[in-house]
Amino acid sequence: MSILIDLSMLRHPWCGLGQVALNYGRWYGAHTAGLTPGHEVTLLVPRGFAGHFGAHVHYLEAHDCYRAMPWLMPRFDLWHSIHQLSPFRPSVRSTLRLLTVHDVNFMYEKPEAKRRRYLRRLQHECDRSALVCFISRFAMEDALRYLHVDAPMQVVYNGVEQLTEGVQRMPQGVDAGRPFLLSLGVLKAKKNVHTLLPMMKCLPQYDLLIAGDDSDPYADRIRREAGCCGNVRVLGPVDEAGRRWLYAHCQALLFPSLYEGFGLPVVEAMQWGKPVFCSRQTALPEIGGDAACYFDSFEPRHMASQVLRTLREHTPGRSRELQSYAARFSYDRHMTQYQELYRRLLDGGVGGSLS
C-alpha cells in the first residue's frame, strides 16, 4: 500500500511548520526499515530536497505543475497532509486523506476577507478527509467552533525535537556572567511578552533574554520598553545552536502566551529540566500539565514572587521529573501513533471517533 507524506513546507525550513516537516523527514530517514510491512512511504518534498534524508527514502518532488494539474501526480492509497493549508492534492478522489490541523490562528489574525477564504479552504479539506487529526484537544475544540467535521477525529500531540543533542553556541548580545530567564518565540501581541518587562524590575539579580522572530510591529514595542529596563535584552532570531545554548544555560522559561495550539517551547525547556512559567490560556495547561508553573496574575510583583519561590525550590530531582514529562512528546511516540492510524485507515477499520 502506497502512502504519501506531504512535506512541501520544507520550502520554509525555519518556520514552525517547516521544522515539523524537517523532523518528519529526519524520522523517516532513520526508520524506513521499521515501517509497517507492506507500506511504501513517499515523501513529497520541494525541488532540491530529493535525497536529503538518505538514498533509501522514496521522494516525489513538488513541482508547480502538480498544483495546477493534480491529475499529473502519481496515485497513492493514502495521503497525509501534515498541515491544513498545503497547496497539493491527490490525483484521484479514491485516495484516502488524513489531514492534520494545527490551529485556526487565521480566524484571529487575518482580515475578514482572508478569514472567509481560509475557512472555506479548510472546510473543504476537512470534507475531503477520511480522518482529521489535531495537535491538542484545545486545537480541536477551537477549530470546531468554525468547522463542521463529519470524519472521525483524533488528537495526536506534536512530536518535539530532542534539542539536548547537538551543537550549542552562545548568541550575540548575551552577558555570560549574568544568570538569565528566557522568553522564546515569535514576537507577536498574543505572546504577551510585554507583561514580563515590569516583572523584571522586581528581579534585578536576573537578566531576561528575549529570543525569536522580531519582524512583527509588536517587537518594536518590546524593544522600546526593554530600553527602560537595564536587565532585558532582545536578541532577535537565533539558530538551532543558539536555541540549544539558551535552553541549556537559562534558569527558567517564561511563556505568558495568550493563544497556543500547542506550545513547543514549554516541552523544549522541560527537555533540559528547566522550570517553565506560562499562562493558563488555551492549550498551555493541557501541554504543560502538572509539570509547568502557571501565572495566576500578570501583576509584576506576583509574577516575580512566583518565579523566585520556584527557583529556590528547584532541585536536580525536579529537573529529572521535567525531563521525564517532556519525553511523552517524543517524535518516536508521535510517529508510532500515526503509523497505527495509517494501518487502520488502509485496513478499512476507521469508523466513528478514534479518540
Side-chain angles (χ1 to χ4, degrees):
M1 303 291 264
S2 57
I3 302 170
L4 182 131
I5 314 295
D6 183 349
L7 305 186
S8 57
M9 276 302 292
L10 284 169
R11 67 187 184 275
H12 301 300
W14 295 112
C15 77
L17 291 173
Q19 287 291 294
V20 172
L22 186 63
N23 283 309
Y24 264 67
R26 288 170 175 168
W27 191 90
Y28 276 105
H31 295 85
T32 299
L35 299 182
T36 302
H39 288 181
E40 181 177 280
V41 172
T42 297
L43 306 181
L44 180 66
V45 298
R47 284 180 291 180
F49 269 87
H52 188 80
F53 305 110
H56 57 287
V57 178
H58 298 284
Y59 301 92
L60 176 65
E61 290 197 331
H63 294 285
D64 289 342
C65 65
Y66 291 148
R67 299 173 64 172
M69 297 174 284
W71 56 87
L72 297 178
M73 181 86 67
R75 295 188 178 191
F76 295 91
D77 297 305
L78 173 63
W79 180 296
H80 181 189
S81 295
I82 68 167
H83 71 100
Q84 64 260 33
L85 295 176
S86 172
F88 296 97
R89 305 287 179 272
S91 58
V92 293
R93 286 182 174 270
S94 58
T95 296
L96 293 167
R97 298 179 66 176
L98 191 163
L99 173 67
T100 297
V101 176
H102 289 253
D103 55 56
V104 287
N105 282 350
F106 58 85
M107 295 301 298
Y108 313 112
E109 299 177 354
K110 300 296 183 183
E112 184 177 354
K114 281 192 174 181
R115 289 201 301 267
R116 290 198 301 266
R117 185 167 73 251
Y118 284 16
L119 186 60
R120 283 197 302 269
R121 181 176 169 185
L122 180 51
Q123 182 65 65
H124 179 72
E125 294 301 311
C126 291
D127 292 343
R128 295 287 302 277
S129 297
L131 174 64
V132 180
C133 291
F134 299 86
I135 64 171
S136 67
R137 291 197 175 277
F138 167 78
M140 179 173 68
E141 292 165 2
D142 194 37
L144 292 178
R145 295 172 58 197
Y146 307 101
L147 298 167
H148 178 76
V149 180
D150 289 324
M153 293 177 284
Q154 174 77 44
V155 172
V156 179
Y157 289 126
N158 271 337
V160 181
E161 179 186 6
Q162 186 63 43
L163 292 178
T164 55
E165 303 167 359
V167 175
Q168 299 179 25
R169 183 170 49 252
M170 184 176 72
Q172 291 184 344
V174 176
D175 181 351
R178 293 263 301 169
F180 67 90
L181 307 170
L182 176 63
S183 171
L184 191 147
V186 177
L187 279 175
K188 291 187 174 183
K190 69 178 182 179
K191 299 296 184 178
N192 204 30
V193 172
H194 62 275
T195 61
L196 302 177
L197 306 186
M199 180 199 72
M200 290 308 299
K201 294 179 180 180
C202 305
L203 297 172
Q205 66 272 52
Y206 294 105
D207 283 349
L208 172 63
L209 302 185
I210 301 173
D213 184 283
D214 57 355
S215 58
D216 191 89
Y218 177 73
D220 296 330
R221 171 188 174 181
I222 298 301
R223 289 192 198 91
R224 287 194 303 270
E225 296 183 9
C228 300
C229 304
N231 58 344
V232 178
R233 292 177 173 82
V234 180
L235 303 180
V238 294
D239 61 14
E240 285 192 12
R243 188 162 51 124
R244 291 190 190 99
W245 189 94
L246 290 170
Y247 279 130
H249 293 86
C250 72
Q251 302 297 306
L253 175 76
L254 308 181
F255 199 66
S257 179
L258 300 177
Y259 185 96
E260 296 293 329
F262 186 83
L264 283 173
V266 170
V267 180
E268 290 175 345
M270 289 182 187
Q271 289 180 350
W272 298 86
K274 301 305 173 85
V276 174
F277 299 85
C278 55
S279 76
R280 293 188 183 275
Q281 304 299 312
T282 59
L284 292 176
E286 179 183 353
I287 303 306
D290 294 335
C293 303
Y294 298 95
F295 291 126
D296 292 314
S297 163
F298 294 123
E299 193 278 321
R301 287 187 297 273
H302 173 84
M303 296 172 74
S305 174
Q306 188 174 358
V307 170
L308 284 175
R309 183 174 63 255
T310 300
L311 291 181
R312 281 197 302 265
E313 297 172 354
H314 194 70
T315 64
R318 179 57 176 161
S319 287
R320 290 190 292 271
E321 290 174 359
L322 293 174
Q323 290 170 324
S324 178
Y325 182 85
R328 301 180 188 185
F329 299 94
S330 71
Y331 258 98
D332 280 345
R333 182 170 182 171
H334 171 87
M335 299 303 291
T336 297
Q337 287 180 276
Y338 270 118
Q339 297 302 313
E340 174 62 14
L341 292 176
Y342 299 161
R343 185 192 65 76
R344 292 174 64 180
L345 280 167
L346 290 169
D347 288 350
V350 172
S353 175
L354 290 172
S355 299

